[in-house]
Amino acid sequence: MSRRRPRVITLVMTLAVLAAAGGSAVGPASATTSVDTLSEPAFVVDLQSDGDATVSLVVSYDLADDADQQAFDQLREDPSNLTGNFEQRLSRIADRTATDTGREMTISGVSASVETRDGVGVIRVSAEWSNLASVSGDELTLTEPFASEFQPDRLFVIKPPEGYQLATSSHEPANTDAETVQWTSGVDLSGFSTTFATDSSESLPTPLTTLLALGLVSALGYAGHHRLRQKQ
């Protein structure tokens, strides 16, 4: 058997384990702000306002020799093994999470990209996860499956929908920017619960809202009183 095939199998099996355990093939990643171009090891949750999410596993490998490069070339040509393993394991996690939360969940639209950058192979596998976050009015809350003793050894990134910002979190993020909220590798996220709410800057400040409401009440009261006097 050629060296290429065992390398591919090893990479696929490693990714399958990572999908279940949140592991990483290289060392801890530093914080980054661009989700779409992320190439460091990470697990990314891109939330939508209806509670659905796109979840992505990013895995990086040092390509030490030509055999590693050939293995990645083969994965790029046929990523079906990657997507199949990821979908199966993620579906099992989604089934357990649906039981825990009482929300119906499905995994769909699994895709994979394989590329090399400066001698580093980057695999990104993504899937659509329905009802991952609970929705209450203008708030999104993310708990399971991350609340159940989740301890990633990669960057954990949550990207809220446009117009939402971090409201509360059971675990202090390591980094928060205009686009994402991030927790570093190795942090214990047991009991995890994080809520995002619509940006308060889009609404009137509370004191101004109160003043306008009082002004409206006064105006209505004056109009009613004026009509009553006219009838008399």
Side-chain angles (χ1 to χ4, degrees), residues 203-215:
S203 61
L204 291 171
T206 300
L208 181 57
T209 304
T210 302
L211 288 175
L212 290 177
L214 290 175

Side-chain angles (χ1 to χ4, degrees), residues 14 25 42 60 89 92 156 229:
T14 301
S60 299
R89 291 183 176 270
R92 287 197 287 269
F156 178 47
R229 291 191 61 182

Side-chain angles (χ1 to χ4, degrees), residues 210-228:
T210 302
L211 288 175
L212 290 177
L214 290 175
L216 180 60
V217 170
S218 298
L220 291 174
Y222 172 79
H225 178 69
H226 183 66
R227 286 195 299 271
L228 180 60

Side-chain angles (χ1 to χ4, degrees), residues 19-208:
S24 171
V26 297
S30 59
T32 184
T33 57
S34 181
V35 171
D36 295 334
T37 60
L38 185 67
S39 62
E40 300 175 38
F43 189 83
V44 181
V45 178
D46 190 347
L47 287 173
Q48 302 173 26
S49 59
D50 60 359
D52 293 352
T54 300
V55 297
S56 301
L57 181 70
V58 183
V59 184
S60 299
Y61 293 89
D62 289 329
L63 302 181
D65 52 35
D66 290 342
D68 287 336
Q69 183 64 60
Q70 290 174 1
F72 263 77
D73 290 342
Q74 186 172 342
L75 286 175
R76 184 185 292 110
E77 295 170 3
D78 182 14
S80 58
N81 284 331
L82 296 176
T83 55
N85 282 318
F86 189 70
E87 182 172 12
Q88 290 175 11
R89 291 183 176 270
L90 206 59
S91 293
R92 287 197 287 269
I93 296 172
D95 289 342
R96 292 197 300 268
T97 305
T99 300
D100 292 339
T101 62
R103 296 192 303 274
E104 183 178 350
M105 297 183 178
T106 58
I107 301 297
S108 62
V110 181
S111 61
S113 64
V114 181
E115 61 180 327
T116 58
R117 299 180 183 177
D118 299 325
V120 176
V122 180
I123 299 175
R124 184 187 184 107
V125 190
S126 301
E128 303 300 320
W129 189 328
S130 65
N131 295 321
L132 178 58
S134 64
V135 181
S136 179
D138 293 330
E139 293 186 346
L140 293 173
T141 300
L142 188 63
T143 55
E144 296 292 356
F146 311 106
S148 297
E149 301 180 359
F150 181 56
Q151 186 173 342
D153 59 353
R154 67 184 57 245
L155 194 66
F156 178 47
V157 181
I158 301 178
K159 180 181 179 183
E162 184 177 357
Y164 282 72
Q165 61 183 0
L166 181 65
T168 61
S169 181
S170 58
H171 296 69
E172 186 71 20
N175 185 50
T176 302
D177 56 37
E179 184 180 359
T180 64
V181 180
Q182 306 169 11
W183 289 263
T184 56
S185 61
V187 63
D188 185 359
L189 295 181
S190 297
F192 181 81
S193 178
T194 294
T195 298
F196 298 91
T198 53
D199 193 343
S200 59
S201 65
E202 295 180 358
S203 61
L204 291 171
T206 300
L208 181 57

